[in-house]
Amino acid sequence: MEFSINKFFEKEECNSVIEYVDNIGVPFSYNQNETWDCKRIYDEGFKNDIINRLLLNYKNNEFKLWFDLNEFYIKDVNISLTKYYDGRWLDLHLDSTSQFTTVIVLSDEFDDGRFSLSNSYTDINNTEKYHLNIGESISFDGSKIYHGVMPVTKGIRCALNIWMTNTDFKYRAVKINKSII
């Protein structure tokens, strides 16, 4: 199972990202029974800032990956902020439209909420679990590695999720009314 864990933001930057996305993000849900709250970011300037930071850190050898990012031609990017609390979780799944997924934890005052990875679909309790510190990211091929989030038992786990594709797929804005805490 190929994945990488890297430092992406400092703690102060994490708080700024949460505040910014809370102000400009658009509530999003695939269905009414989601176990997490989500806001999508459609601001192209914000997306470009995140991708440019990733590329610069990779170029400066501060962001390690299992593949050569210089050979991955990013054609489209989708970014969202998710919040898990009150026992909320995300079951194991694959990203149908992301060959390069990066999740950055933006908060640290929560219990559990570990990130889960598996080469095959299984019960989330039977996966490899990773505790990510505030500002740390985990990157992997979201179309091939099953991933999810363990239930958050206390506090609020905020994460910035970045899906990147090197195909001609285009992420489009989908607006669904859903309240975010």
Side-chain angles (χ1 to χ4, degrees):
M1 187 164 44
E2 296 177 312
F3 66 96
S4 303
I5 295 176
N6 293 285
K7 183 74 170 177
F8 202 96
F9 290 125
E10 296 301 324
K11 184 174 185 171
E12 303 75 31
E13 294 172 302
C14 293
N15 294 329
S16 295
V17 169
I18 293 170
E19 184 178 322
Y20 181 74
V21 173
D22 275 342
N23 288 325
I24 66 127
V26 177
F28 176 85
S29 176
Y30 289 107
N31 66 59
Q32 297 297 342
N33 299 320
E34 297 289 11
T35 59
W36 42 267
D37 284 335
C38 178
K39 282 192 173 182
R40 287 275 168 95
I41 298 99
Y42 299 113
D43 179 319
E44 291 300 319
F46 181 82
K47 287 182 181 183
N48 288 334
D49 288 347
I50 295 295
I51 298 308
N52 287 336
R53 180 185 198 126
L54 184 148
L55 294 172
L56 181 62
N57 286 345
Y58 182 77
K59 179 182 175 185
N60 292 337
N61 212 24
E62 296 170 6
F63 198 87
K64 308 283 187 200
L65 294 171
W66 65 97
F67 69 98
D68 185 354
L69 185 56
N70 296 315
E71 295 178 8
F72 185 89
Y73 302 101
I74 299 171
K75 289 193 175 180
D76 204 8
V77 176
N78 193 17
I79 300 179
S80 70
L81 175 77
T82 52
K83 294 184 179 182
Y84 299 84
Y85 52 91
D86 296 336
R88 293 176 184 217
W89 79 99
L90 180 61
D91 208 356
L92 287 180
H93 66 283
L94 294 174
D95 299 331
S96 60
T97 58
S98 178
Q99 293 77 41
F100 180 25
T101 302
T102 297
V103 176
I104 309 163
V105 173
L106 300 175
S107 59
D108 61 356
E109 296 182 8
F110 62 90
D111 289 341
D112 208 347
R114 291 169 292 161
F115 202 82
S116 298
L117 294 176
S118 178
N119 279 323
S120 61
Y121 186 78
T122 183
D123 182 282
I124 196 165
N125 294 308
N126 298 326
T127 62
E128 296 292 322
K129 296 169 193 67
Y130 303 90
H131 171 79
L132 300 173
N133 294 314
I134 189 168
E136 282 187 327
S137 66
I138 189 165
S139 301
F140 51 94
D141 183 338
S143 68
K144 294 182 180 173
I145 297 178
Y146 286 90
H147 54 283
V149 176
M150 296 300 294
V152 172
T153 57
K154 180 182 174 187
I156 301 173
R157 177 192 185 272
C158 297
L160 195 66
N161 308 280
I162 309 164
W163 298 276
M164 292 164 271
T165 180
N166 62 355
T167 67
D168 289 327
F169 176 83
K170 289 291 182 198
Y171 295 105
R172 61 184 177 85
V174 178
K175 295 180 182 180
I176 297 174
N177 291 330
K178 183 173 180 179
S179 63
I180 306 289
I181 61 166

